[in-house]
Amino acid sequence: MKTEAAATTLTIPWIVLLLGLSSYNSGGVLAVNMSIPNTLLRGTVGGEAVLSVCYNSFSLDLPVIKWQLKREKSITVVQSIGTDIIGTLRPEYRDRILVFENGTLLLHNLRLSDNGTYDVEISITDDTFTGEGSITLTVDESISRPFIHMETTSVLELSENVVLNCSHDNGTKTAYRWFKGGKQLSNMTRFVFSPDQKFLTIMRVLMADDDIYICMVENPVGNMTSLPIKLTVYRRSSLYIILSTGGIFLLITLVTICACWTPNKKQRHHHPAGNPVYRYNDYSDCLRITHTDDLLPKRTERNGINAVTSLYVLQQKEPSLDDSSSNNSIGSPESDNPPCYTSSPKLNGSLTPARSSIRLT
């Protein structure tokens, strides 16, 4: 008796479930059951993207399929009954759209503007509820081969701020990685990356930095590695290292010495008062000169007649210190007047010059 009661208890739920399914198929509550295998797709510019969906329904009618691209205001990409497109496609989607019977959408020749979230709706006339879903598509540009740009590939030891630039022509949403000798670099004391890690700066080059460098560029659709570049570091002389480390102190010391040093002035010679002193351009010699000029006329004969020429020979004599007392003072009227000459008429026509003391001022 107990066994028959247990069997009856297990059979009743299955009977109820079968009755519910029969009422569902006979025109009760109907719905489109839709599934999406992949809700995130990545595509490349110029490539293709398959937005795959599938549905099932008890109705034999063709489904009405509608795809929209989410924007501030949603854009209708395509609407179809089965595979037959309804209406006219937007210009940016012409010749790039294909709809399959199960509702899958194929986009040809992808563009960056195709990036976004796509909503799909599938409805059948006999079904009460519409199947809905969404797929996110990201479109990126493939990366071209990068190359490392440097001002020079040969530097001297202890050089400052050597910059390596990882450049490439194409690629979106890029990220950069640097390798030295096959090992990935990270931010260190002497190795500094720019915020986007596109630039690598070696703050102070050492001999250990003589190595091969590579940069890798990657984005959601792939990655590319640059050709290796060799950085050659030459050793500086020991003298340069000493001067470079103490150069600032040495420079300050030399500037201070030059600023404080002045040349010694030569002492002037002192002479007794009353003696005239004449200074020439040579500041090392100070001369006391008192001139007693003898003007000796020269005779010339012209047409048999003796004549006195206007050319006189100036004879300078260096008087002794004892004779200087006999000279007049500098300010005497006699020194201010020009020398005068006296002549007496004689038969031989000779001239007797008057002696005068002349001081050069």
Side-chain angles (χ1 to χ4, degrees):
M1 294 292 294
K2 292 182 180 181
T3 304
E4 292 179 358
T8 305
T9 304
L10 293 174
T11 305
I12 292 174
W14 287 102
I15 296 173
V16 173
L17 179 59
L18 291 173
L19 291 174
L21 288 174
S22 62
S23 63
Y24 181 84
N25 291 332
S26 61
V29 178
L30 300 178
V32 176
N33 297 320
M34 184 173 60
S35 62
I36 299 176
N38 193 354
T39 58
L40 177 62
L41 298 177
R42 301 187 185 278
T44 59
V45 173
E48 295 181 347
V50 179
L51 285 67
S52 179
V53 298
C54 59
Y55 76 95
N56 55 57
S57 173
F58 292 101
S59 176
L60 299 178
D61 296 335
L62 292 175
V64 177
I65 305 168
K66 183 178 181 180
W67 285 91
Q68 289 183 316
L69 177 60
K70 280 187 178 181
R71 292 287 187 263
E72 293 182 0
K73 183 179 180 181
S74 295
I75 299 173
T76 299
V77 177
V78 65
Q79 188 171 3
S80 67
I81 299 176
T83 58
D84 296 331
I85 296 176
I86 302 173
T88 303
L89 293 175
R90 296 173 64 91
E92 61 267 31
Y93 294 115
R94 290 176 185 171
D95 301 325
R96 296 201 304 126
I97 295 292
L98 182 62
V99 181
F100 294 93
E101 292 182 356
N102 63 352
T104 296
L105 174 66
L106 174 62
L107 285 174
H108 292 284
N109 192 18
L110 288 177
R111 304 173 182 176
L112 292 176
S113 58
D114 294 332
N115 190 87
T117 300
Y118 291 80
D119 293 331
V120 57
E121 296 180 358
I122 299 178
S123 61
I124 299 178
T125 306
D126 294 342
D127 295 335
T128 306
F129 296 101
T130 301
E132 297 177 351
S134 61
I135 299 175
T136 300
L137 173 64
T138 61
V139 180
D140 292 290
E141 189 176 31
S142 297
I143 301 171
S144 59
R145 179 174 290 278
F147 58 93
I148 299 176
H149 174 74
M150 298 177 59
E151 292 185 359
T152 177
T153 57
S154 301
V155 296
L156 290 175
E157 182 186 13
L158 305 181
S159 298
E160 299 287 344
N161 297 334
V162 176
V163 180
L164 288 74
N165 176 16
C166 187
S167 301
H168 55 94
D169 296 328
N170 301 320
T172 56
K173 301 177 185 177
T174 53
Y176 301 86
R177 288 194 290 171
W178 288 91
F179 297 85
K180 172 180 176 287
K183 296 180 180 180
Q184 185 173 349
L185 289 173
S186 58
N187 270 319
M188 300 169 61
T189 304
R190 294 187 307 107
F191 293 92
V192 179
F193 298 114
S194 60
D196 59 358
Q197 297 191 347
K198 186 177 182 180
F199 294 90
L200 169 63
T201 302
I202 305 176
M203 301 300 294
R204 189 173 178 85
V205 179
L206 302 180
M207 291 302 300
D209 299 329
D210 187 306
D211 214 326
I212 295 175
Y213 292 81
I214 295 174
C215 75
M216 176 184 289
V217 185
E218 52 190 359
N219 69 355
V221 295
N223 62 73
M224 288 291 289
T225 303
S226 70
L227 294 176
I229 188 170
K230 177 70 164 61
L231 176 62
T232 304
V233 182
Y234 293 101
R235 188 181 299 277
R236 291 186 186 270
S237 64
S238 301
L239 177 61
Y240 174 83
I241 296 175
I242 294 173
L243 293 177
S244 63
T245 53
I248 297 177
F249 174 76
L250 180 61
L251 179 61
I252 294 174
T253 303
L254 291 176
V255 171
T256 304
I257 292 173
C258 293
C260 297
W261 178 80
T262 55
N264 294 329
K265 295 182 179 180
K266 294 184 178 180
Q267 296 181 354
R268 297 180 179 180
H269 299 282
H270 297 282
H271 304 278
N275 293 334
V277 177
Y278 302 95
R279 185 174 300 276
Y280 293 91
N281 290 334
D282 186 0
Y283 292 99
S284 64
D285 297 328
C286 295
L287 303 177
R288 293 175 311 193
I289 302 174
T290 303
H291 296 278
T292 302
D293 303 331
D294 293 336
L295 301 175
L296 301 179
K298 290 187 176 181
R299 294 178 178 273
T300 59
E301 292 185 0
R302 182 176 300 172
N303 298 328
I305 302 174
N306 294 329
V308 179
T309 63
S310 61
L311 177 63
Y312 296 89
V313 177
L314 177 64
Q315 295 181 348
Q316 297 179 353
K317 293 182 179 181
E318 180 74 19
S320 63
L321 294 175
D322 295 338
D323 296 338
S324 63
S325 60
S326 63
N327 295 333
N328 294 330
S329 62
I330 297 176
S332 63
E334 188 176 324
S335 64
D336 295 334
N337 295 326
C340 58
Y341 306 92
T342 60
S343 63
S344 59
K346 292 183 180 181
L347 294 176
N348 57 4
S350 62
L351 296 175
T352 301
R355 292 184 178 274
S356 175
S357 296
I358 302 173
R359 288 183 180 82
L360 299 179
T361 58

